């Protein structure tokens, strides 16, 4: 009996030892079997695309186009007496009037690559439109000097310059300034509304900066336009489009498109005769 008990005790001890021996191995096996979590690498930030550089124009420049129509829209009201006269203006931001001359020249020349648009710093034409000299003209405030200053590196054979001027209401001495709209009447009675675009074109020699006189054809075209017996349909304005107050012109899509059409028509009448010179 003692032998049986001893044998049983030895067997239990062996099994217990075996269990302790296997337990760490099992844990190790589990540790090995558990897959490690993959390390997610953050993608490197994409490099910003390099800004596109403007393509430099090459080749000779036969004609440089300079437009100084500006971004101010004149709004004027005339009555029976001078005391009824009112003036205002509005910004034409985004109307792109200074884009029109180059576009019309390109259209007239078949997109000639020797025709260039000349850029200039803001305020370059301020001395011309608002000269400080009132009695004796200052040459530095004239167009030849301004054109010379802004084209020092352009090297074009000639320069076509588009500006605005102050005109008059046909048949009167009422002054209308630059580009804009005016109304005329007695109070609110018999009042009519008009759009106007006083646009001037001049040409300068690229070497001497002397003004090139208009040909007889160019003079004749302007003179004939001034003698028109019927009103240009592009200048007739409906009361609903007339900007009242003047500041409302800035947000008027109809006024913007009508003004662009009128300026384009004026340019198409004058530019071709200058290009023939």
């Amino acid at each position: 009996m003692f032998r049986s008990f001893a044998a049983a005790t030895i067997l239990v001890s062996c099994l217990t030892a075996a269990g302790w021996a296997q337990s760490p191995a099992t844990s190790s096996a589990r540790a090995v079997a558990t897959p490690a979590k993959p390390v997610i690498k953050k993608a490197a930030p994409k490099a910003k695309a390099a800004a596109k550089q403007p393509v430099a124009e090459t080749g000779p420049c036969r004609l440089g186009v300079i437009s100084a129509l500006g971004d101010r829209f004149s709004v004027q009201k005339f009555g029976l007496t001078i005391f009824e006269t009112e003036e205002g203006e509005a910004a034409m931001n985004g109307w792109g009037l200074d884009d029109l001359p180059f576009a019309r020249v390109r259209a007239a020349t078949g997109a000639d690559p020797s025709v260039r648009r000349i850029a200039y710093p803001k305020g370059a034409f301020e001395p011309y439109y608002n000269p400080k000299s009132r009695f004796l003209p200052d040459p530095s405030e004239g167009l030849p000097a301004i054109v010379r200053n802004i084209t020092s590196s352009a090297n074009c054979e000639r320069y076509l310059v588009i500006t605005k001027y102050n005109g008059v209401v046909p048949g009167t001495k009422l002054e209308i300034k630059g580009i804009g709209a005016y109304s005329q009447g007695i109070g609110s009675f018999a009042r009519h509304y008009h759009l106007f675009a006083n646009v001037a074109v001049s040409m300068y020699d690229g070497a001497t900066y002397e003004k090139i006189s208009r040909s007889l054809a160019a003079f004749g075209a302007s003179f004939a336009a001034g003698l028109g017996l019927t009103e240009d349909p592009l200048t007739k304005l409906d009361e609903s489009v007339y900007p009242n107050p003047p500041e409302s012109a800035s947000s008027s899509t109809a006024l913007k498109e009508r003004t662009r059409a009128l300026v384009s028509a004026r340019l198409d009448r004058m530019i071709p005769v200058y290009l023939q010179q």
Side-chain angles (χ1 to χ4, degrees):
M1 181 177 179
F2 176 77
R3 290 180 181 176
S4 299
F5 177 76
T9 301
I10 294 172
L11 179 60
V12 172
S13 299
C14 291
L15 292 174
T16 302
W20 278 105
Q22 290 178 1
S23 180
T26 302
S27 299
S28 300
R30 287 178 181 173
V32 173
T34 303
K37 292 183 179 181
V39 178
I40 300 175
K41 295 183 179 180
K42 293 184 179 180
K46 293 182 179 180
K48 293 183 179 180
K52 291 183 178 180
Q53 298 296 326
V55 178
E57 293 178 310
T58 58
C61 175
R62 184 176 63 86
L63 181 67
V65 181
I66 304 170
S67 178
L69 296 179
D71 60 356
R72 308 307 295 176
F73 186 86
S74 177
V75 181
Q76 298 175 249
K77 180 180 179 182
F78 302 108
L80 186 62
T81 67
I82 191 173
F83 301 103
E84 297 176 77
T85 299
E86 297 178 11
E87 293 185 7
E89 65 176 14
M92 295 188 294
N93 297 328
W95 288 28
L97 295 190
D98 278 321
D99 297 333
L100 297 176
F102 181 66
R104 304 320 300 162
V105 172
R106 292 267 293 175
T109 59
D112 187 342
S114 66
V115 175
R116 308 276 171 79
R117 180 176 180 176
I118 307 298
Y120 55 86
K122 185 176 182 180
F125 283 85
E126 184 65 18
Y128 173 73
Y129 286 123
N130 299 291
K132 294 180 180 179
S133 56
R134 296 297 179 182
F135 302 103
L136 295 177
D138 184 348
S140 67
E141 297 175 336
L143 280 181
I146 293 174
V147 173
R148 181 190 292 271
N149 288 337
I150 65 178
T151 60
S152 58
S153 60
N155 298 320
C156 296
E157 294 178 12
R158 292 183 176 185
Y159 296 101
L160 192 70
V161 184
I162 293 84
T163 54
K164 57 186 178 182
Y165 63 93
N166 294 344
V168 295
V169 175
T172 74
K173 293 183 179 180
L174 301 174
E175 187 179 56
I176 46 179
K177 301 178 179 179
I179 297 171
Y182 75 88
S183 70
Q184 185 180 16
I186 304 173
S188 59
F189 177 73
R191 185 161 289 276
H192 45 94
Y193 306 86
H194 304 268
L195 195 64
F196 61 90
N198 298 321
V199 178
V201 178
S202 53
M203 185 174 285
Y204 293 88
D205 184 275
T208 64
Y209 290 93
E210 293 183 357
K211 186 175 182 178
I212 299 174
S213 300
R214 293 188 301 174
S215 65
L216 291 177
F219 178 78
S222 298
F223 185 70
L227 290 179
L229 299 179
T230 58
E231 182 181 6
D232 185 343
L234 290 174
T235 65
K236 192 173 183 179
L237 204 61
D238 189 78
E239 181 181 1
S240 61
V241 183
Y242 181 79
N244 187 20
E247 296 78 14
S248 63
S250 299
S251 57
S252 174
T253 302
L255 203 55
K256 170 186 173 181
E257 296 305 321
R258 289 287 305 276
T259 303
R260 285 177 58 87
L262 180 59
V263 171
S264 294
R266 293 282 190 268
L267 294 172
D268 287 344
R269 181 185 299 163
M270 295 183 288
I271 285 176
V273 292
Y274 277 91
L275 297 180
Q276 293 172 5
Q277 294 181 240

